[in-house]
Amino acid sequence: MPIVPARLEHSAEGVPYSSAFDDIYHSSDGALGQARHVFLAGNGLPQRWQGREHFVVLETGFGLGLNFLATWAAWREDPGRCTRLHFVSCELHPFTREDLACLQARWPEFGALAAQLQAQWPALTPGVHRLHLDEGRVVLTLYLGDARDGLTQLVAHADAFYLDGFAPAKNPELWSPRIFHLLAGLAAPGATLATWSVAGEVRNGLRHAGFALEKVPGFGSKRQMLRGRLGEGRGQLEPTAGPPESARHALVIGAGLAGCSIAERLAERGWTVELIEGATGPASGASGNLAGVLRPLPSLDDNRMSRLTRAGTLHGWAHIARLRARGLEVRAEACGVLHLARDAAQDAKMRAVVERLALPADHLRYVSAREAAQLAGCAVAAGGWWFADSGWVQPPSLCAANLAAAGAPLQTHFGQAVSRLERHADLWQAMDADGRCIAAAPVAILAAGVGVRALIGAESLPVVSARGQVTLLPATRGSAPRVVVCRGGYVSPEVDGLRCAGATFDVTDEDPALHASDHAENLTKLEAMLPGFTRELGAVPLQGRVGFRPASPDRLPMVGTLPQGVVSSPSAGLTGLARQPGLHVLSGYGARGLVWSALAAEALASALSAEPLPLERDLWEALDPGRFLLRPARQGAIRE
């Protein structure tokens, strides 16, 4: 469902108010006092997070964000704080950035923190959004949408719960037995909860979900509040902390977008990373193009591809912004992307997608052929989708920035090709062709592009090599098109005196040489997008580049622990997968390496560190590299 922002309203007493729920956002006795007394003290904070590697708070209603700001401030002021604070929250009707800034200005003591939050406030699109704050030490994971859906989709082990929806009489769906059981399913052993509500149905529902409760003095005019703890022996069995420091050591094989991204994400979490690459530097293979496109691919039913490409695009641009904020150069420009309709039928479908998804107009809107031409600065073949917050990225610069951001925890081994992987004494060893061990670690991550097929454990992955040829055309600064244009292919604006046009996609050709026929195909696509454009090129000599991209049969990436085989339990009637211990993969990116790389790396790094995931449960499961063993890939050509 589309996200409908909250309205900025106030009660007669000046308290922020929601006419949709006919209720105020916080106690009239004081929002900050309520946050500190009810939610922080009610969960034994800050004492309970002290000495922990990470601590997870889960909140049922983000609202004004004040509980988050108060928790963040308390964490900053505590010398014994946990290393990393995760705050997970759901919100059906989030405020716009402007309204949030107006509301949070009431608490100037949080001014600097609120400014950080507002600067990263996401596009109001459905699903999970991840914000990295306080130099990555505080992580806010927001689910925008109905909490009844969000709590089924979140993957987290919560140590403390803030139950802070509108009053049960005003918003009963957020205080239902189903919600309480979902919370218990997300709880770590020993998890606590706190809420200002002591309503009988709330107490009964929480007790039935497994929480032991007590009434304690409330805040302000409320005589009592509720405090609880998950019953003995209840809670998720998985560890609530990451692996011990001695085990936070990983081999990453491959230094393209996938490998450099996961190296940076693990290094930020304090992991030691050994990055191994056969070439003499990063981005030597499919990630070496002059420019690629970072934009989503919507659909009428908002299917997995639509949701994943939207999440990957938003996360990718946010990651670039964080790298730039650290002073690292990433060659990229959110100049906008036009996706032109190929015919009248697709034009009608594009209009319907925009109307049905109702995404923010600065993320997706339909434009006519006339407006599209104005945006591009030249004639175009049709109207279509306009992604104002998307654009082009130079992959080698992104790889270099990721490696620079990784810093001291990263050790690089360039010019050393891995011939095979061996496992000895709980360590994965990367061996060269002469049988020498390049490096060893308890965790190994295969991010070697199409080379993943030759390494141990990857035999069960249906990865194919997709040859792509890009044509490079001379261009002058400011020349048309001024934006990225797509329609069966793509063309970029001018980058370093050139523009990219392409790209071909062929899973049957292993030839690394440039093909004149592929240049012709790229120019045909270009002419179909921008009528008359190729005539102005004249007889210029055509340059280009060939790359081989790892593709999967369902066009989705493969992210996670490698399967070892199918196992079944006849008595239970269950079928599952045995896994390769400590062996993981990042592959199958196809032509969307820029779209997948940042989000996939954050997801895998979070899973390896036992942290909340940055995407919904069903999307994470859709990326499982073992899916093709349980659901064999359909025969036929792979297409992009």
Side-chain angles (χ1 to χ4, degrees), residues 9-29:
E9 305 172 282
H10 295 86
S11 69
E13 294 77 22
V15 178
Y17 167 81
S18 169
S19 57
F21 292 95
D22 187 26
D23 201 2
I24 54 178
Y25 275 91
H26 60 73
S27 169
S28 57
D29 295 309

Side-chain angles (χ1 to χ4, degrees), residues 509-533:
D509 191 348
E510 298 288 338
D511 187 0
L514 291 169
H515 294 171
S517 59
D518 284 5
H519 279 322
E521 179 183 335
N522 288 335
L523 292 181
T524 299
K525 292 176 182 176
L526 177 57
E527 182 64 23
M529 288 187 279
L530 308 178
F533 193 88

Side-chain angles (χ1 to χ4, degrees), residues 57-403:
V57 176
L58 196 157
E59 179 186 50
T60 53
F62 189 76
L64 314 181
L66 188 61
N67 290 336
F68 169 63
L69 292 174
T71 304
W72 182 6
W75 176 86
R76 285 176 62 94
E77 293 165 2
D78 181 14
R81 60 182 175 261
C82 55
T83 304
R84 197 172 175 93
L85 174 66
H86 281 272
F87 196 99
V88 183
S89 189
C90 299
E91 182 55 55
L92 177 60
H93 297 298
F95 285 100
T96 64
R97 185 195 313 267
E98 294 75 19
D99 287 349
L100 197 68
C102 180
L103 290 161
Q104 292 175 347
R106 291 169 168 241
W107 297 280
E109 59 267 56
F110 297 145
L113 304 186
Q116 280 194 54
L117 172 63
Q118 294 154 20
Q120 291 196 39
W121 194 241
L124 301 188
T125 62
V128 173
H129 300 260
R130 172 152 290 181
L131 286 66
H132 297 265
L133 303 158
D134 216 326
E135 298 180 342
R137 299 174 300 171
V138 174
V139 181
L140 173 61
T141 302
L142 277 174
Y143 178 85
L144 299 187
D146 195 319
R148 291 173 293 181
D149 300 323
L151 294 176
T152 66
Q153 291 281 26
L154 291 171
V155 181
H157 306 155
D159 300 297
F161 293 101
Y162 294 0
L163 275 60
D164 193 26
F166 290 113
K170 305 288 187 178
N171 187 20
E173 292 84 1
L174 203 56
W175 302 88
S176 67
R178 179 171 180 263
I179 289 288
F180 299 146
H181 281 279
L182 289 172
L183 293 175
L186 289 166
T192 62
L193 68 82
T195 180
W196 44 263
S197 176
V198 293
E201 63 268 27
V202 172
R203 300 197 310 274
N204 291 335
L206 286 169
R207 286 195 182 103
H208 285 143
F211 290 94
L213 304 171
E214 61 175 335
K215 291 181 181 179
V216 296
F219 171 73
S221 59
K222 288 193 70 69
R223 189 169 58 89
Q224 294 177 315
M225 58 172 273
L226 209 59
R227 190 166 63 189
R229 181 178 292 273
L230 196 66
E232 194 70 28
R234 301 291 297 272
Q236 300 181 69
L237 298 179
E238 294 92 337
T240 57
E245 189 171 350
S246 60
R248 284 185 286 172
H249 183 191
L251 305 178
V252 175
I253 301 173
L257 283 169
C260 293
S261 296
I262 188 63
E264 187 273 335
R265 290 289 77 209
L266 288 175
E268 187 190 65
R269 289 166 167 82
W271 285 58
T272 299
V273 180
E274 311 270 358
L275 180 66
I276 308 173
E277 168 62 52
T280 57
S284 62
S287 300
N289 284 340
L290 175 69
V293 187
L294 179 50
R295 59 98 180 202
L297 184 66
S299 69
L300 192 60
D301 60 352
D302 206 24
N303 57 29
R304 292 179 307 176
M305 177 67 77
S306 174
R307 292 162 58 205
L308 274 165
T309 56
R310 180 170 66 238
T313 297
L314 294 171
H315 193 92
W317 284 110
H319 179 62
I320 289 170
R322 291 196 305 275
L323 291 172
R324 286 174 164 173
R326 296 180 58 179
L328 300 169
E329 182 181 6
V330 181
R331 297 291 312 284
E333 183 183 4
C335 57
V337 176
L338 281 170
H339 184 142
L340 307 178
R342 63 176 176 268
D343 52 33
Q346 190 184 36
D347 184 88
K349 184 177 179 180
M350 286 178 151
R351 292 173 185 262
V353 167
V354 171
E355 181 178 355
R356 180 162 186 173
L357 297 186
L359 298 169
D362 56 0
H363 177 71
L364 170 66
R365 66 184 178 93
Y366 176 85
V367 294
S368 66
R370 180 177 180 180
E371 186 176 0
Q374 292 173 341
L375 291 166
C378 62
V380 299
W385 287 327
W386 170 239
F387 304 97
D389 57 356
S390 293
W392 63 267
V393 180
Q394 190 175 85
S397 74
L398 180 55
C399 289
N402 276 324
L403 297 188

Side-chain angles (χ1 to χ4, degrees), residues 284-289 450 465-470 504 506 509 511-512 514 545-550:
S284 62
S287 300
N289 284 340
V450 297
S465 175
R467 181 186 182 278
Q469 180 171 315
V470 172
T504 59
D506 191 340
D509 191 348
D511 187 0
L514 291 169
R545 189 177 188 278
V546 173
F548 294 90
R549 302 159 294 189

